[in-house]
Amino acid sequence: MTAEATIAEICIAACSDTYRESGELLAHAVGTIPTIGARLAKLTHSPDLVLSDGEAFMMSEPPPLGKAAAAGGVIEGWAPFRRIFDIVATGRRQSMMGASQIDRFGNQNISLIGDWNKPKRQLIGVRGAPGNTANHRVDYWVSRHSTRLFVESVDMVSGVGNDRARAAGNVLRFHHLGVIVTNLAVLGYDDDGRVAVLSIHPGVDPQTVADNTGFSLAVEGASPTRIPTDEELRLIRDVLDPRGARAREVAN
């Protein structure tokens, strides 16, 4: 009998699920849990998913975390950095990004904290967030669900939220925010584009989710996040992450 799934493994399965029915798209994943999730998707429900080694090689089979692309078998393609912009512009990519702030409409900030003219913290800049959220589906990964991250209004918009996309109209017709996977829950968006609870991880008190969110969030009656199957757990533990790096990003 397979040992009980950890929260990290539940999060990996939730990240993997974001690629269901994606087809032949380039998977872009930021963070340990999302990376394992994308590789799990490739090995299970989404075999057509295209995986990069993080640099230029496209992998036919995902190697264990930390191993070179060749360790996963045949290298089936090559896409240097300059070609990534073409892939993004044509929408043939799906991204799971991180965030320093997310507001109630899914606007994301990874650039700075505080006032633009005199920020308290300078972060990494907007990076690829504007192009990603204009051209293809974007999901977010949050390893520590807190009121510091989920805020009423972001200090700067890096990734475009649902309210701004709707205000822009046809200019952002390819805008598509998927879900937000956190260490507590899986969040989506309601018909008005506001962040809403889709599921809460087993063992997590729903009130904990509400208390750690900086805007109103209905948590009553939320479904539990699905548990990985025995086969998914085998792949996570024995094939994709035998050294247990997942537990360093999300502890049980």
Side-chain angles (χ1 to χ4, degrees):
M1 182 176 178
T2 305
E4 184 177 352
T6 66
I7 292 295
E9 291 162 344
I10 290 169
C11 290
I12 289 168
C15 290
S16 171
D17 285 346
T18 65
Y19 295 102
R20 288 186 182 274
E21 301 180 1
S22 291
E24 190 176 342
L25 292 177
L26 177 62
H28 171 245
V30 179
T32 298
I33 300 289
T35 297
I36 302 172
R39 295 181 182 191
L40 181 64
K42 173 78 171 177
L43 291 177
T44 54
H45 53 75
S46 299
D48 292 333
L49 197 65
V50 179
L51 296 178
S52 164
D53 67 345
E55 296 206 15
F57 294 117
M58 303 299 153
M59 306 178 291
S60 62
E61 297 177 14
L65 210 64
K67 296 291 185 180
V74 177
I75 294 173
E76 58 185 2
W78 181 66
F81 187 65
R82 64 180 178 274
R83 288 188 59 193
I84 299 300
F85 294 100
D86 296 331
I87 295 171
V88 171
T90 56
R92 294 174 295 165
R93 186 170 180 258
Q94 184 173 320
S95 178
M96 176 164 274
M97 302 178 65
S100 299
Q101 290 179 328
I102 298 175
D103 69 20
R104 64 170 59 248
F105 285 99
N107 292 287
Q108 172 240 36
N109 174 27
I110 51 174
S111 186
L112 59 86
I113 300 298
D115 182 80
W116 167 264
N117 294 309
K118 193 176 182 181
K120 298 176 183 177
R121 295 285 186 276
Q122 178 64 56
L123 305 177
I124 62 174
V126 299
R127 308 290 287 188
N132 289 350
T133 50
N135 289 296
H136 58 66
R137 172 171 171 159
V138 172
D139 302 279
Y140 292 116
W141 161 242
V142 172
S143 61
R144 291 177 178 82
H145 191 134
S146 72
T147 54
R148 292 182 63 184
L149 192 143
F150 287 100
V151 296
E152 186 69 34
S153 179
V154 296
D155 293 337
M156 177 183 170
V157 176
S158 302
V160 181
N162 291 313
D163 55 343
R164 285 177 167 80
R166 291 181 179 183
N170 198 45
V171 175
L172 288 178
R173 63 188 182 279
F174 301 116
H175 179 270
H176 179 191
L177 296 185
V179 301
I180 307 167
V181 179
T182 85
N183 62 315
L184 300 180
V186 179
L187 311 177
Y189 304 90
D190 64 19
D191 292 340
D192 294 321
R194 292 183 173 87
V195 173
V197 174
L198 294 181
S199 66
I200 295 176
H201 302 335
V204 174
D205 184 346
Q207 191 59 45
T208 299
V209 179
D211 291 345
N212 283 278
T213 305
F215 47 82
S216 178
L217 194 64
V219 297
E220 298 80 10
S223 301
T225 307
R226 79 169 183 91
I227 302 294
T229 66
D230 285 354
E231 175 61 10
E232 286 175 318
L233 289 173
R234 184 190 70 80
L235 290 170
I236 292 169
R237 296 170 181 177
D238 300 339
V239 177
L240 297 172
D241 186 28
R243 295 184 178 181
R246 60 193 179 277
R248 294 195 289 273
E249 191 164 68
V250 173
N252 233 15

CSV table of all heavy atoms in Angstrom, one decimal, residues 52-107:
chain,number,residue,atom,x,y,z
A,52,SER,N,11.1,21.4,-21.6
A,52,SER,CA,12.5,22.0,-21.8
A,52,SER,C,13.3,21.6,-20.6
A,52,SER,O,12.8,21.4,-19.5
A,52,SER,CB,12.4,23.5,-22.0
A,52,SER,OG,13.7,24.1,-21.8
A,53,ASP,N,14.6,21.5,-20.8
A,53,ASP,CA,15.5,21.2,-19.7
A,53,ASP,C,15.8,22.5,-18.9
A,53,ASP,O,16.6,22.5,-18.0
A,53,ASP,CB,16.8,20.6,-20.2
A,53,ASP,CG,17.7,21.5,-21.0
A,53,ASP,OD1,17.1,22.5,-21.5
A,53,ASP,OD2,18.8,21.2,-21.2
A,54,GLY,N,15.1,23.6,-19.3
A,54,GLY,CA,15.4,24.9,-18.6
A,54,GLY,C,16.3,25.7,-19.4
A,54,GLY,O,16.5,26.9,-19.0
A,55,GLU,N,16.9,25.2,-20.4
A,55,GLU,CA,17.8,26.0,-21.2
A,55,GLU,C,17.4,25.9,-22.7
A,55,GLU,O,16.6,26.7,-23.1
A,55,GLU,CB,19.3,25.5,-21.0
A,55,GLU,CG,19.7,25.7,-19.6
A,55,GLU,CD,21.2,25.9,-19.4
A,55,GLU,OE1,21.9,26.1,-20.4
A,55,GLU,OE2,21.7,25.8,-18.3
A,56,ALA,N,17.9,24.9,-23.4
A,56,ALA,CA,17.5,24.9,-24.9
A,56,ALA,C,17.0,23.5,-25.4
A,56,ALA,O,16.5,23.5,-26.5
A,56,ALA,CB,18.8,25.3,-25.7
A,57,PHE,N,17.2,22.5,-24.6
A,57,PHE,CA,16.9,21.2,-25.1
A,57,PHE,C,15.5,20.8,-24.8
A,57,PHE,O,15.0,21.0,-23.7
A,57,PHE,CB,17.9,20.1,-24.6
A,57,PHE,CG,19.3,20.3,-25.1
A,57,PHE,CD1,20.3,20.6,-24.2
A,57,PHE,CD2,19.6,20.2,-26.5
A,57,PHE,CE1,21.6,20.7,-24.7
A,57,PHE,CE2,20.9,20.3,-26.9
A,57,PHE,CZ,21.9,20.6,-26.0
A,58,MET,N,14.8,20.1,-25.7
A,58,MET,CA,13.5,19.5,-25.5
A,58,MET,C,13.6,18.1,-25.2
A,58,MET,O,14.2,17.3,-26.0
A,58,MET,CB,12.6,19.8,-26.7
A,58,MET,CG,12.4,21.2,-27.1
A,58,MET,SD,11.7,22.2,-25.8
A,58,MET,CE,12.4,23.8,-26.2
A,59,MET,N,13.0,17.6,-24.1
A,59,MET,CA,13.2,16.2,-23.6
A,59,MET,C,12.1,15.3,-24.0
A,59,MET,O,10.9,15.6,-23.9
A,59,MET,CB,13.4,16.3,-22.1
A,59,MET,CG,14.4,17.3,-21.6
A,59,MET,SD,14.5,17.3,-19.8
A,59,MET,CE,12.9,18.1,-19.4
A,60,SER,N,12.4,14.1,-24.6
A,60,SER,CA,11.4,13.1,-24.9
A,60,SER,C,10.8,12.5,-23.6
A,60,SER,O,9.7,12.2,-23.6
A,60,SER,CB,12.0,12.0,-25.8
A,60,SER,OG,13.1,11.4,-25.1
A,61,GLU,N,11.7,12.4,-22.6
A,61,GLU,CA,11.2,11.8,-21.3
A,61,GLU,C,11.8,12.7,-20.2
A,61,GLU,O,13.0,13.0,-20.3
A,61,GLU,CB,11.6,10.4,-21.2
A,61,GLU,CG,11.0,9.4,-22.2
A,61,GLU,CD,11.5,8.0,-22.0
A,61,GLU,OE1,12.1,7.7,-20.9
A,61,GLU,OE2,11.3,7.2,-22.9
A,62,PRO,N,11.1,13.0,-19.2
A,62,PRO,CA,11.6,13.9,-18.1
A,62,PRO,C,12.6,13.1,-17.3
A,62,PRO,O,12.3,12.0,-16.8
A,62,PRO,CB,10.4,14.3,-17.4
A,62,PRO,CG,9.4,13.2,-17.6
A,62,PRO,CD,9.6,12.8,-19.0
A,63,PRO,N,13.8,13.7,-17.0
A,63,PRO,CA,14.8,13.0,-16.1
A,63,PRO,C,14.4,13.3,-14.7
A,63,PRO,O,13.6,14.2,-14.4
A,63,PRO,CB,16.1,13.7,-16.5
A,63,PRO,CG,15.6,15.1,-16.9
A,63,PRO,CD,14.3,14.9,-17.6
A,64,PRO,N,15.0,12.7,-13.7
A,64,PRO,CA,14.9,13.0,-12.3
A,64,PRO,C,15.3,14.5,-12.1
A,64,PRO,O,16.2,15.0,-12.8
A,64,PRO,CB,15.8,12.1,-11.6
A,64,PRO,CG,16.0,10.9,-12.5
A,64,PRO,CD,15.9,11.5,-13.9
A,65,LEU,N,14.7,15.1,-11.1
A,65,LEU,CA,15.0,16.5,-10.8
A,65,LEU,C,16.5,16.6,-10.6
A,65,LEU,O,17.1,15.9,-9.8
A,65,LEU,CB,14.2,16.9,-9.6
A,65,LEU,CG,13.9,18.4,-9.5
A,65,LEU,CD1,12.9,18.8,-10.6
A,65,LEU,CD2,13.2,18.7,-8.1
A,66,GLY,N,17.1,17.6,-11.2
A,66,GLY,CA,18.6,17.9,-11.0
A,66,GLY,C,19.5,17.2,-12.0
A,66,GLY,O,20.7,17.4,-12.1
A,67,LYS,N,18.9,16.3,-12.8
A,67,LYS,CA,19.7,15.5,-13.8
A,67,LYS,C,19.6,16.3,-15.2
A,67,LYS,O,18.7,17.0,-15.5
A,67,LYS,CB,19.2,14.1,-14.0
A,67,LYS,CG,19.3,13.3,-12.7
A,67,LYS,CD,20.8,13.0,-12.4
A,67,LYS,CE,20.9,12.0,-11.2
A,67,LYS,NZ,22.3,11.7,-10.9
A,68,ALA,N,20.6,16.1,-16.0
A,68,ALA,CA,20.7,16.7,-17.3
A,68,ALA,C,19.6,16.1,-18.2
A,68,ALA,O,19.1,15.0,-18.0
A,68,ALA,CB,22.1,16.5,-17.9
A,69,ALA,N,19.3,16.8,-19.3
A,69,ALA,CA,18.3,16.4,-20.2
A,69,ALA,C,18.6,15.0,-20.8
A,69,ALA,O,17.7,14.2,-21.0
A,69,ALA,CB,18.2,17.4,-21.4
A,70,ALA,N,19.9,14.7,-21.1
A,70,ALA,CA,20.2,13.4,-21.7
A,70,ALA,C,19.9,12.2,-20.7
A,70,ALA,O,19.7,11.1,-21.2
A,70,ALA,CB,21.7,13.4,-22.0
A,71,ALA,N,19.8,12.5,-19.4
A,71,ALA,CA,19.4,11.4,-18.5
A,71,ALA,C,18.0,11.0,-18.7
A,71,ALA,O,17.6,9.9,-18.2
A,71,ALA,CB,19.6,11.9,-17.1
A,72,GLY,N,17.2,11.8,-19.4
A,72,GLY,CA,15.8,11.4,-19.6
A,72,GLY,C,15.6,10.7,-20.9
A,72,GLY,O,14.4,10.4,-21.2
A,73,GLY,N,16.6,10.4,-21.6
A,73,GLY,CA,16.5,9.7,-22.9
A,73,GLY,C,16.8,10.6,-24.1
A,73,GLY,O,17.7,11.4,-24.0
A,74,VAL,N,16.0,10.5,-25.1
A,74,VAL,CA,16.3,11.2,-26.4
A,74,VAL,C,16.0,12.7,-26.2
A,74,VAL,O,15.0,13.1,-25.7
A,74,VAL,CB,15.5,10.6,-27.5
A,74,VAL,CG1,15.7,11.4,-28.8
A,74,VAL,CG2,15.9,9.1,-27.7
A,75,ILE,N,16.9,13.5,-26.7
A,75,ILE,CA,16.6,14.9,-26.9
A,75,ILE,C,15.9,15.1,-28.2
A,75,ILE,O,16.5,14.9,-29.3
A,75,ILE,CB,17.9,15.8,-26.8
A,75,ILE,CG1,18.5,15.6,-25.4
A,75,ILE,CG2,17.7,17.2,-27.1
A,75,ILE,CD1,19.9,16.3,-25.2
A,76,GLU,N,14.7,15.6,-28.2
A,76,GLU,CA,13.9,15.6,-29.4
A,76,GLU,C,13.7,17.0,-30.1
A,76,GLU,O,13.0,17.1,-31.1
A,76,GLU,CB,12.5,15.0,-29.1
A,76,GLU,CG,11.7,15.8,-28.0
A,76,GLU,CD,10.4,15.1,-27.7
A,76,GLU,OE1,10.1,14.0,-28.3
A,76,GLU,OE2,9.7,15.6,-26.9
A,77,GLY,N,14.4,18.0,-29.5
A,77,GLY,CA,14.3,19.3,-30.1
A,77,GLY,C,15.3,20.3,-29.5
A,77,GLY,O,15.9,20.0,-28.5
A,78,TRP,N,15.3,21.5,-30.1
A,78,TRP,CA,16.2,22.5,-29.6
A,78,TRP,C,15.6,23.8,-29.8
A,78,TRP,O,15.1,24.1,-30.9
A,78,TRP,CB,17.6,22.4,-30.3
A,78,TRP,CG,18.6,23.4,-29.9
A,78,TRP,CD1,19.2,23.5,-28.7
A,78,TRP,CD2,19.1,24.5,-30.7
A,78,TRP,NE1,20.1,24.5,-28.7
A,78,TRP,CE2,20.1,25.2,-29.9
A,78,TRP,CE3,18.9,24.9,-32.0
A,78,TRP,CZ2,20.8,26.3,-30.4
A,78,TRP,CZ3,19.6,26.0,-32.5
A,78,TRP,CH2,20.5,26.7,-31.7
A,79,ALA,N,15.5,24.6,-28.8
A,79,ALA,CA,14.9,26.0,-28.9
A,79,ALA,C,15.7,26.9,-28.0
A,79,ALA,O,15.5,27.1,-26.8
A,79,ALA,CB,13.4,25.9,-28.4
A,80,PRO,N,16.6,27.6,-28.7
A,80,PRO,CA,17.4,28.6,-28.0
A,80,PRO,C,16.5,29.8,-27.5
A,80,PRO,O,15.4,29.9,-27.9
A,80,PRO,CB,18.4,29.1,-29.0
A,80,PRO,CG,17.8,28.8,-30.3
A,80,PRO,CD,17.0,27.6,-30.1
A,81,PHE,N,17.1,30.6,-26.6
A,81,PHE,CA,16.3,31.6,-25.9
A,81,PHE,C,15.6,32.5,-26.9
A,81,PHE,O,14.4,32.9,-26.7
A,81,PHE,CB,17.2,32.5,-25.0
A,81,PHE,CG,16.4,33.4,-24.2
A,81,PHE,CD1,15.6,33.0,-23.2
A,81,PHE,CD2,16.6,34.8,-24.3
A,81,PHE,CE1,14.9,33.9,-22.4
A,81,PHE,CE2,15.9,35.7,-23.5
A,81,PHE,CZ,15.1,35.2,-22.5
A,82,ARG,N,16.2,32.9,-28.0
A,82,ARG,CA,15.6,33.8,-29.0
A,82,ARG,C,14.3,33.2,-29.6
A,82,ARG,O,13.4,34.0,-30.0
A,82,ARG,CB,16.6,34.2,-30.1
A,82,ARG,CG,17.0,33.0,-31.0
A,82,ARG,CD,18.0,33.5,-32.0
A,82,ARG,NE,18.5,32.4,-32.9
A,82,ARG,CZ,19.5,31.6,-32.6
A,82,ARG,NH1,20.2,31.8,-31.5
A,82,ARG,NH2,19.8,30.6,-33.4
A,83,ARG,N,14.2,31.9,-29.7
A,83,ARG,CA,13.0,31.3,-30.3
A,83,ARG,C,11.8,31.2,-29.3
A,83,ARG,O,10.7,31.1,-29.7
A,83,ARG,CB,13.3,29.9,-30.7
A,83,ARG,CG,14.2,29.8,-32.0
A,83,ARG,CD,14.3,28.4,-32.5
A,83,ARG,NE,13.0,27.8,-32.8
A,83,ARG,CZ,12.8,26.5,-33.1
A,83,ARG,NH1,13.9,25.7,-33.0
A,83,ARG,NH2,11.6,26.0,-33.3
A,84,ILE,N,12.1,31.3,-28.0
A,84,ILE,CA,11.1,31.3,-27.0
A,84,ILE,C,10.1,32.5,-27.2
A,84,ILE,O,8.9,32.3,-27.0
A,84,ILE,CB,11.6,31.4,-25.6
A,84,ILE,CG1,12.5,30.1,-25.3
A,84,ILE,CG2,10.5,31.4,-24.5
A,84,ILE,CD1,11.8,28.8,-25.5
A,85,PHE,N,10.6,33.6,-27.6
A,85,PHE,CA,9.7,34.8,-27.9
A,85,PHE,C,8.7,34.5,-29.0
A,85,PHE,O,7.6,34.9,-28.9
A,85,PHE,CB,10.6,36.0,-28.2
A,85,PHE,CG,11.4,36.5,-27.0
A,85,PHE,CD1,12.8,36.2,-27.0
A,85,PHE,CD2,10.9,37.3,-26.0
A,85,PHE,CE1,13.5,36.6,-25.9
A,85,PHE,CE2,11.6,37.7,-24.9
A,85,PHE,CZ,13.0,37.4,-24.9
A,86,ASP,N,9.2,33.8,-30.0
A,86,ASP,CA,8.3,33.4,-31.1
A,86,ASP,C,7.2,32.4,-30.6
A,86,ASP,O,6.0,32.5,-31.0
A,86,ASP,CB,9.1,32.7,-32.2
A,86,ASP,CG,10.1,33.7,-32.9
A,86,ASP,OD1,9.8,34.9,-32.9
A,86,ASP,OD2,11.1,33.2,-33.4
A,87,ILE,N,7.6,31.5,-29.7
A,87,ILE,CA,6.7,30.5,-29.2
A,87,ILE,C,5.6,31.2,-28.3
A,87,ILE,O,4.4,30.9,-28.4
A,87,ILE,CB,7.4,29.4,-28.4
A,87,ILE,CG1,8.3,28.6,-29.3
A,87,ILE,CG2,6.5,28.5,-27.7
A,87,ILE,CD1,9.3,27.7,-28.6
A,88,VAL,N,6.1,32.1,-27.5
A,88,VAL,CA,5.2,32.9,-26.6
A,88,VAL,C,4.2,33.7,-27.5
A,88,VAL,O,3.0,33.7,-27.2
A,88,VAL,CB,5.9,33.8,-25.7
A,88,VAL,CG1,5.0,34.8,-25.0
A,88,VAL,CG2,6.7,33.0,-24.7
A,89,ALA,N,4.7,34.4,-28.5
A,89,ALA,CA,3.8,35.2,-29.3
A,89,ALA,C,2.8,34.5,-30.1
A,89,ALA,O,1.7,35.0,-30.4
A,89,ALA,CB,4.7,36.0,-30.3
A,90,THR,N,3.0,33.2,-30.4
A,90,THR,CA,2.0,32.4,-31.1
A,90,THR,C,1.2,31.6,-30.1
A,90,THR,O,0.3,30.8,-30.6
A,90,THR,CB,2.7,31.4,-32.1
A,90,THR,OG1,3.7,30.6,-31.3
A,90,THR,CG2,3.5,32.2,-33.1
A,91,GLY,N,1.4,31.7,-28.8
A,91,GLY,CA,0.5,31.1,-27.9
A,91,GLY,C,0.8,29.6,-27.7
A,91,GLY,O,0.0,28.9,-27.0
A,92,ARG,N,1.9,29.1,-28.2
A,92,ARG,CA,2.1,27.6,-28.1
A,92,ARG,C,2.9,27.3,-26.8
A,92,ARG,O,4.0,26.6,-26.8
A,92,ARG,CB,2.9,27.2,-29.3
A,92,ARG,CG,2.1,27.3,-30.6
A,92,ARG,CD,2.9,26.9,-31.8
A,92,ARG,NE,4.0,27.9,-32.0
A,92,ARG,CZ,5.0,27.7,-32.8
A,92,ARG,NH1,5.2,26.6,-33.5
A,92,ARG,NH2,5.9,28.7,-33.0
A,93,ARG,N,2.5,27.8,-25.7
A,93,ARG,CA,3.2,27.7,-24.5
A,93,ARG,C,2.2,27.8,-23.3
A,93,ARG,O,1.1,28.4,-23.5
A,93,ARG,CB,4.2,28.8,-24.3
A,93,ARG,CG,5.2,28.8,-23.1
A,93,ARG,CD,6.2,29.8,-23.4
A,93,ARG,NE,7.2,29.9,-22.3
A,93,ARG,CZ,7.2,30.9,-21.4
A,93,ARG,NH1,6.3,31.8,-21.4
A,93,ARG,NH2,8.2,31.0,-20.5
A,94,GLN,N,2.4,27.2,-22.2
A,94,GLN,CA,1.6,27.3,-21.0
A,94,GLN,C,2.5,27.5,-19.8
A,94,GLN,O,3.5,26.7,-19.6
A,94,GLN,CB,0.7,26.1,-20.8
A,94,GLN,CG,-0.3,26.3,-19.6
A,94,GLN,CD,-1.3,25.1,-19.6
A,94,GLN,OE1,-1.8,24.7,-20.6
A,94,GLN,NE2,-1.5,24.7,-18.4
A,95,SER,N,2.3,28.5,-19.0
A,95,SER,CA,3.2,28.9,-18.0
A,95,SER,C,2.6,28.7,-16.6
A,95,SER,O,1.4,29.0,-16.4
A,95,SER,CB,3.6,30.3,-18.2
A,95,SER,OG,4.5,30.7,-17.2
A,96,MET,N,3.4,28.2,-15.6
A,96,MET,CA,3.1,28.3,-14.2
A,96,MET,C,4.2,29.2,-13.6
A,96,MET,O,5.3,28.7,-13.4
A,96,MET,CB,3.0,27.0,-13.5
A,96,MET,CG,2.7,27.1,-12.1
A,96,MET,SD,2.1,25.5,-11.3
A,96,MET,CE,0.4,25.7,-11.6
A,97,MET,N,3.8,30.4,-13.2
A,97,MET,CA,4.7,31.4,-12.6
A,97,MET,C,4.6,31.5,-11.1
A,97,MET,O,3.6,31.0,-10.5
A,97,MET,CB,4.5,32.7,-13.3
A,97,MET,CG,4.7,32.8,-14.8
A,97,MET,SD,4.3,34.4,-15.4
A,97,MET,CE,5.7,35.3,-14.7
A,98,GLY,N,5.6,32.1,-10.5
A,98,GLY,CA,5.5,32.5,-9.1
A,98,GLY,C,4.9,33.9,-9.0
A,98,GLY,O,4.5,34.5,-9.9
A,99,ALA,N,4.8,34.3,-7.7
A,99,ALA,CA,4.3,35.7,-7.5
A,99,ALA,C,4.8,36.2,-6.1
A,99,ALA,O,4.9,35.4,-5.2
A,99,ALA,CB,2.7,35.7,-7.5
A,100,SER,N,5.0,37.5,-6.1
A,100,SER,CA,5.3,38.1,-4.8
A,100,SER,C,4.0,38.8,-4.2
A,100,SER,O,3.8,38.9,-3.0
A,100,SER,CB,6.3,39.2,-5.0
A,100,SER,OG,7.5,38.7,-5.4
A,101,GLN,N,3.0,39.1,-5.1
A,101,GLN,CA,1.7,39.6,-4.7
A,101,GLN,C,0.7,39.2,-5.8
A,101,GLN,O,1.0,39.1,-7.0
A,101,GLN,CB,1.7,41.1,-4.6
A,101,GLN,CG,2.4,41.7,-3.5
A,101,GLN,CD,2.3,43.3,-3.5
A,101,GLN,OE1,2.2,43.9,-4.5
A,101,GLN,NE2,2.3,43.9,-2.3
A,102,ILE,N,-0.5,38.8,-5.4
A,102,ILE,CA,-1.6,38.6,-6.2
A,102,ILE,C,-2.8,39.2,-5.6
A,102,ILE,O,-3.1,39.1,-4.4
A,102,ILE,CB,-1.9,37.1,-6.4
A,102,ILE,CG1,-0.7,36.4,-7.1
A,102,ILE,CG2,-3.2,36.8,-7.3
A,102,ILE,CD1,-0.9,34.8,-7.2
A,103,ASP,N,-3.6,40.0,-6.4
A,103,ASP,CA,-4.8,40.6,-5.9
A,103,ASP,C,-6.1,39.8,-6.2
A,103,ASP,O,-6.0,38.8,-6.8
A,103,ASP,CB,-4.9,42.1,-6.3
A,103,ASP,CG,-5.2,42.3,-7.7
A,103,ASP,OD1,-5.7,41.4,-8.4
A,103,ASP,OD2,-4.9,43.4,-8.2
A,104,ARG,N,-7.2,40.4,-5.8
A,104,ARG,CA,-8.5,39.6,-6.0
A,104,ARG,C,-8.9,39.4,-7.4
A,104,ARG,O,-9.7,38.5,-7.7
A,104,ARG,CB,-9.6,40.4,-5.2
A,104,ARG,CG,-9.9,41.7,-5.8
A,104,ARG,CD,-11.2,42.3,-5.2
A,104,ARG,NE,-11.1,42.5,-3.8
A,104,ARG,CZ,-11.9,41.7,-2.9
A,104,ARG,NH1,-12.7,40.8,-3.4
A,104,ARG,NH2,-11.8,42.0,-1.6
A,105,PHE,N,-8.3,40.1,-8.4
A,105,PHE,CA,-8.6,39.8,-9.8
A,105,PHE,C,-7.5,39.1,-10.5
A,105,PHE,O,-7.5,39.0,-11.7
A,105,PHE,CB,-8.9,41.1,-10.5
A,105,PHE,CG,-10.3,41.7,-10.2
A,105,PHE,CD1,-10.4,42.7,-9.3
A,105,PHE,CD2,-11.4,41.2,-10.8
A,105,PHE,CE1,-11.7,43.2,-9.0
A,105,PHE,CE2,-12.7,41.7,-10.5
A,105,PHE,CZ,-12.8,42.7,-9.6
A,106,GLY,N,-6.5,38.6,-9.8
A,106,GLY,CA,-5.4,37.8,-10.4
A,106,GLY,C,-4.3,38.7,-11.0
A,106,GLY,O,-3.5,38.1,-11.7
A,107,ASN,N,-4.3,40.0,-10.7
A,107,ASN,CA,-3.1,40.8,-11.1
A,107,ASN,C,-1.9,40.3,-10.2
A,107,ASN,O,-2.0,40.1,-9.0
A,107,ASN,CB,-3.4,42.3,-10.8
A,107,ASN,CG,-4.4,42.8,-11.7
A,107,ASN,OD1,-4.2,43.0,-12.9
A,107,ASN,ND2,-5.6,43.1,-11.2
